[in-house]
Amino acid sequence: MTDREMPTAAGAKGLDPEAINAIAEGRHCDPFAVLGLHSDGNGGLSVRVFAPEATAAEVVESGRNRRVASLEKVDDRGFFAGPVGRRKRRFAYRLHLSDGQHDWIAEDPYRFPPILGDLDIHLLSEGRHFRLYDKLGAHPAELEGVQGVAFAVWAPSARRVSVVGPFNRWDGRRHPMRLRHSCGVWELFIPGLGPGETYNYELLGADGTLLPLKADPVAFADESAPRTGSIVVAPLDDWSDDDWMAIREPLQSANAPISVYECHLGSWQRGEDGGYLTYEALAERLVPYVRELGFTHIELMPLHEHPFTGSWGYQPTGLYAPTARYGSPQGFKRFVEACHEAEIGVLLDWVPGHFPDDAHGLARFDGTALYEHEDPRIGMHKDWDTLIYNFGRTEVANFLIANALYWLEHFHIDGLRVDAVASMLYLDYSRSHGEWIPNRHGGNENLDAIALLKGLNEEVRTQVPGAITVAEESTAWPGVSSPTEAGGLGFRFKWNMGWMHDTLSYMSQDPVYRRHRQHELTFGIDYAFSEKFVLPLSHDEVVYGKGSLLTKMPGDRWQKFANLRAYLTFMWTHPGKKLLFMGGEFAQEREWNHDTQLDWHLMDDEMHAGIRRLVTDLNRLYRQIPALHVKDCEPDGFEWIDASNADMSVLCFLRKGREEDQPVLVACNMTPIPRQDYRIGVPRAGYWRELFNSDAGEYGGSGHGNMGGVQADDESWHGRPCSLDLTLPPLATIALTPSTS
């Protein structure tokens, strides 16, 4: 067709002027009903375009790259329309636009078919799409041979949703989305966009109110605060950790030695300029450091994008986006790969219980209480002034479970430590009478949260069998780490908060008064096997005026270090997996401050260096001696020898493994008085080798000990057939095992 033969538009024939007004004013809820390629009512086709930056528009056939129609500008705000000759079938086309000075070619987003298939719509409608992150969010894609980005977002009560960004001058009229009514998801393929593009969603509420710009709830990257844009990212490249993924499952079982280094990436170490280290730099510095210390896992405090740095990540707005403070998702992938190459598992703090009310986040996302509850008695978290997810809404539960699977599958995370589980389980958590609503049975249990947690753990077990979940749960809720089929919540492990609080209370006492507090060290065994426990000395114990682990210890400087050495050794020989917050491994003196790095200069001090050597050796001992880990969660792996000598603040116990494993005798002297010739009953005669002594000189101790070991004789003691005489060093814990040579 020649230019002379090309038809000109006769106007937007048959199109309701109100529809044109609604498009031009950004009010239309169904842009595909107006824009794009349509029947003209007479057996032909017409094209309708909204391009407010253009003064002229033509239609170009994509395949032959020839003009087939010149569109009439039927509205001064940039609405063009016109027939496309004698064509009766749909065809691929592009737009040739001009503003009088510049010409450009553009693809028309409104000529493309829907993105989501029928199965996706069905699963999203039912809240059963546990790979929803493959469909929602922003995905670089090719559609009908054209490169672009497919956007999709859940906002069922919105009147209109648009994608906005620098590419359309943040004009919400330019790219309104298509609503898939049955699932409440809006979608749009925008040609020509790609990775690195910044975007937000602009929404009109059900009443037509323009809402604050929203970040994408399923964004895979967000801008760093205070900016609130979401960012299109390319798919991750191929992983190189197949060897680790194949062997990790038994390394995270209840009979494995699990020793966790809890870390806040922004304050572990800073760059030379005082700024944050990138994920790549952390891979080079943090990973070999943790490996040298002998920890089996790194636990990262939340990395979901969050607007307030002082929340440490526990008030996230971008659950699917690794925080940009330390770099890109590709950078985080490289960090995980570095951990796995070093045979270190990665646990991630995960926050499904609440979210902040920042205007750009999930709060009243489509103008309604979409992710949260309308009623503050169940929708407001009083402790943190945050919003509580509506766990009973199927789409919200789907969003959360899919997010857990996203981190485990997409980033090869080895486990999730689920934050603040107790606040999810109880409707009256931190609430006074009249401030909460009982469940349908009249109780205080949050039945929806219980169902969510069980469903989460079942999906993780089924979909990612090598991964684990760990509950931070501070009450006596039964069966937290029991299988769901047995009535439990289904977590692999639970933090033992009671042990942490009791033992720290004991250790903070002057040794003169410890005789009255012996139960604080021994009571934990009464319930030690009711759950599969982790013993946590976490970040929560070294903030908000609580001081560091070292400053909690009583006495002069030497005694503070001796107390800490004895306590850490007691912890590593006690039943349960281990967790230590960063800085504890070298006795950080100052309380943790998220705004600065740890006090690495302390490593020049021999007492601090001694604590680091002690922790390193404890990790080695824990991993090498089966009796110290294979029955961490079983009652027959522990046996009291004597817990009753409160007057001397001495306690003795056995750790036991399988039948073929040698037992380990542990003796603690929690006073500064050495105990000579202290007789302890043991199960067999012969030579008992001293495995560990927290008072050893290389750790900064006094060097008291047992010269490598002692001989047990046949004298019955403590109800055992044999016994031995030990030197119990001051403020120390020692461990011995029968010699096999």
Side-chain angles (χ1 to χ4, degrees):
M1 182 180 295
T2 66
D3 289 353
R4 185 176 57 82
E5 296 170 324
M6 190 170 58
T8 57
K13 199 170 184 178
L15 186 61
D16 182 359
E18 174 53 27
I20 297 176
N21 285 333
I23 290 291
E25 295 170 5
R27 295 185 288 104
H28 207 290
C29 63
D30 187 8
F32 280 85
V34 179
L35 301 175
L37 190 63
H38 291 269
S39 169
D40 64 4
N42 297 312
L45 297 173
S46 64
V47 171
R48 306 161 186 168
V49 175
F50 180 66
E53 74 282 14
T55 57
E58 296 176 336
V59 178
V60 178
E61 185 179 11
S62 295
R64 299 183 182 182
N65 200 31
R66 65 175 184 173
R67 291 174 292 175
V68 297
S70 179
L71 305 182
E72 179 185 355
K73 190 173 186 179
V74 298
D75 186 276
D76 287 340
R77 290 165 292 186
F79 196 97
F80 298 84
V84 286
R86 295 182 294 273
R87 294 175 180 269
K88 297 182 179 181
R89 295 182 179 180
R90 302 187 68 84
F91 66 101
Y93 67 88
R94 294 181 294 165
L95 301 171
H96 178 240
L97 302 173
S98 174
D99 63 3
Q101 294 182 327
H102 305 94
D103 292 359
W104 65 97
I105 295 292
E107 295 283 356
D108 184 359
Y110 299 96
R111 80 165 179 85
F112 291 93
I115 303 165
L116 299 175
D118 292 341
L119 179 59
D120 296 316
I121 295 296
H122 176 71
L123 293 175
L124 289 167
S125 299
E126 293 190 348
R128 295 190 300 110
H129 203 311
F130 295 125
R131 301 296 183 280
L132 62 78
Y133 49 83
D134 287 336
K135 301 300 176 181
L136 303 187
H139 297 271
E142 180 181 299
L143 195 58
E144 296 187 347
V146 177
Q147 297 292 329
V149 175
F151 296 89
V153 62
W154 180 56
S157 294
R159 178 178 292 184
R160 187 261 293 167
V161 181
S162 297
V163 186
V164 296
F167 52 88
N168 62 15
R169 302 178 183 177
W170 303 94
D171 185 347
R173 302 173 303 161
R174 291 297 313 280
H175 290 104
M177 306 174 79
R178 171 195 283 119
L179 174 63
R180 306 301 294 273
H181 289 279
S182 60
C183 65
V185 170
W186 299 76
E187 61 169 24
L188 185 67
F189 176 75
I190 303 183
L193 301 187
E197 198 72 59
T198 302
Y199 70 99
N200 281 116
Y201 291 119
E202 182 184 278
L203 297 88
L204 296 183
D207 61 356
T209 300
L210 181 65
L211 304 178
L213 287 183
K214 293 290 187 177
D216 189 343
V218 190
F220 306 117
D222 285 321
E223 293 183 299
S224 288
R227 298 188 300 273
T228 60
S230 298
I231 301 173
V232 179
V233 298
L236 298 180
D237 50 30
D238 291 339
W239 286 80
S240 63
D241 61 352
D242 289 352
D243 290 345
W244 166 262
M245 300 296 283
I247 67 169
R248 69 175 181 173
E249 186 166 6
L251 301 179
Q252 304 194 125
S253 67
N255 61 5
I258 296 177
S259 178
V260 183
Y261 186 78
E262 187 190 21
C263 188
H264 178 260
L265 293 183
S267 58
W268 176 74
Q269 196 175 93
R270 293 288 181 94
E272 286 67 25
D273 61 354
Y276 293 129
L277 296 178
T278 64
Y279 291 119
E280 291 91 342
L282 287 159
E284 294 176 359
R285 298 190 192 186
L286 175 60
V287 174
Y289 178 76
V290 172
R291 180 179 174 87
E292 181 183 350
L293 287 169
F295 287 94
T296 64
H297 288 71
I298 295 175
E299 180 174 315
L300 304 173
M301 291 169 67
L303 290 181
H304 325 298
E305 195 57 78
H306 51 285
F308 177 46
T309 298
S311 77
W312 314 329
Y314 290 102
Q315 294 190 16
T317 51
L319 273 187
Y320 286 80
T323 179
R325 289 168 173 82
Y326 318 124
S328 68
Q330 284 283 359
F332 180 57
K333 169 188 175 288
R334 295 187 185 100
F335 174 83
V336 175
E337 284 182 319
C339 290
H340 290 170
E341 183 178 352
E343 296 189 346
I344 295 172
V346 181
L347 305 179
L348 178 66
D349 276 15
W350 185 60
V351 188
H354 64 120
F355 60 92
D357 60 1
D358 295 69
H360 73 280
L362 298 181
R364 302 196 74 81
F365 186 81
D366 64 355
T368 68
L370 184 62
Y371 287 88
E372 68 271 38
H373 293 271
E374 190 73 58
D375 193 325
R377 291 175 295 175
I378 49 177
M380 175 64 71
H381 203 300
K382 293 173 63 66
D383 286 356
W384 301 307
D385 196 26
T386 51
L387 302 174
I388 298 172
Y389 287 102
N390 184 349
F391 305 121
R393 186 164 190 167
T394 55
E395 298 94 338
V396 174
N398 189 174
F399 172 82
L400 292 171
I401 293 176
N403 182 251
L405 295 175
Y406 169 78
W407 290 100
L408 297 173
E409 295 185 336
H410 193 71
F411 282 112
H412 290 200
I413 298 299
D414 300 292
L416 300 174
R417 176 269 197 184
V418 183
D419 179 63
V421 170
S423 74
M424 299 172 66
L425 292 174
Y426 298 96
L427 294 166
D428 60 347
Y429 186 88
S430 288
R431 296 180 187 274
S432 302
H433 180 72
E435 295 180 337
W436 60 283
I437 302 174
N439 63 34
R440 60 180 178 270
H441 305 300
N444 67 341
E445 302 88 355
N446 190 329
L447 303 179
D448 293 330
I450 295 168
L452 170 76
L453 293 171
K454 288 183 175 182
L456 160 72
N457 288 316
E458 288 169 356
E459 289 299 324
V460 169
R461 184 177 62 177
T462 302
Q463 305 293 336
V464 201
I468 64 172
T469 56
V470 182
E472 185 212 17
E473 203 285 309
S474 55
T475 73
W477 187 279
V480 171
S481 58
S482 296
T484 55
E485 58 266 27
L489 294 181
F491 288 92
R492 179 69 60 87
F493 297 105
K494 171 183 171 175
W495 275 21
N496 194 336
M497 314 289 279
W499 178 91
M500 177 184 68
H501 291 307
D502 285 351
T503 57
L504 284 175
S505 173
Y506 177 89
M507 293 304 300
S508 69
Q509 301 299 312
D510 188 295
V512 171
Y513 304 111
R514 284 177 177 170
R515 66 176 62 189
H516 307 297
R517 311 289 285 269
Q518 183 105 335
H519 63 281
E520 292 181 330
L521 281 191
T522 61
F523 177 60
I525 293 298
D526 289 356
Y527 60 87
F529 309 107
S530 61
E531 301 277 3
K532 298 179 182 68
F533 278 124
V534 174
L535 308 181
L537 293 178
S538 73
H539 66 276
D540 279 329
E541 302 314 305
V542 292
V543 289
Y544 299 138
K546 296 177 184 178
S548 66
L549 290 180
L550 184 66
T551 58
K552 295 179 195 295
M553 303 295 128
D556 58 26
R557 188 170 190 266
W558 188 92
Q559 289 183 345
K560 285 181 181 294
F561 279 92
N563 272 299
L564 182 56
R565 291 192 302 267
Y567 179 49
L568 291 173
T569 308
F570 170 71
M571 172 182 173
W572 252 258
T573 54
H574 190 283
K577 310 309 177 185
K578 326 301 174 189
L579 180 140
L580 183 65
F581 183 58
M582 64 182 197
E585 78 277 10
F586 61 80
Q588 168 99 359
E589 293 189 13
R590 182 174 49 86
E591 184 175 272
W592 174 50
N593 179 358
H594 70 270
D595 284 328
T596 186
Q597 68 175 2
L598 298 178
D599 292 332
W600 293 103
H601 65 275
L602 295 177
M603 289 303 301
D604 296 330
D605 180 279
E606 190 57 31
M607 296 295 280
H608 290 279
I611 294 288
R612 176 174 161 177
R613 285 192 288 270
L614 175 121
V615 170
T616 302
D617 287 350
L618 283 172
N619 275 327
R620 174 188 51 78
L621 187 75
Y622 179 54
R623 297 173 79 159
Q624 291 180 353
I625 305 299
L628 293 178
H629 64 257
V630 295
K631 293 194 173 182
D632 260 338
C633 305
E634 301 174 40
D636 61 347
F638 178 90
E639 182 180 316
W640 280 121
I641 293 177
D642 184 16
S644 62
N645 193 351
D647 286 342
M648 289 187 175
S649 297
V650 171
L651 66 158
C652 313
F653 56 87
L654 278 179
R655 291 298 309 279
K656 299 181 292 183
R658 298 154 302 199
E659 186 174 343
E660 66 271 20
D661 298 325
Q662 296 293 340
V664 174
L665 167 66
V666 180
C668 307
N669 175 15
M670 295 302 187
T671 72
I673 302 169
R675 308 292 180 185
Q676 304 292 338
D677 299 324
Y678 192 93
R679 184 157 285 267
I680 297 175
V682 292
R684 69 183 73 167
Y687 187 75
W688 286 66
R689 177 170 56 94
E690 191 170 73
L691 288 170
F692 199 88
N693 181 352
S694 70
D695 192 48
E698 59 263 37
Y699 306 139
S702 65
H704 281 70
N706 293 279
M707 303 297 290
V710 296
Q711 190 74 27
D713 56 36
D714 292 331
E715 183 177 357
S716 176
W717 205 263
H718 289 141
R720 273 74 182 175
C722 305
S723 59
L724 43 71
D725 284 336
L726 288 178
T727 294
L728 302 183
L731 295 173
T733 299
I734 62 174
L736 302 93
T737 192
S739 176
T740 56
S741 59

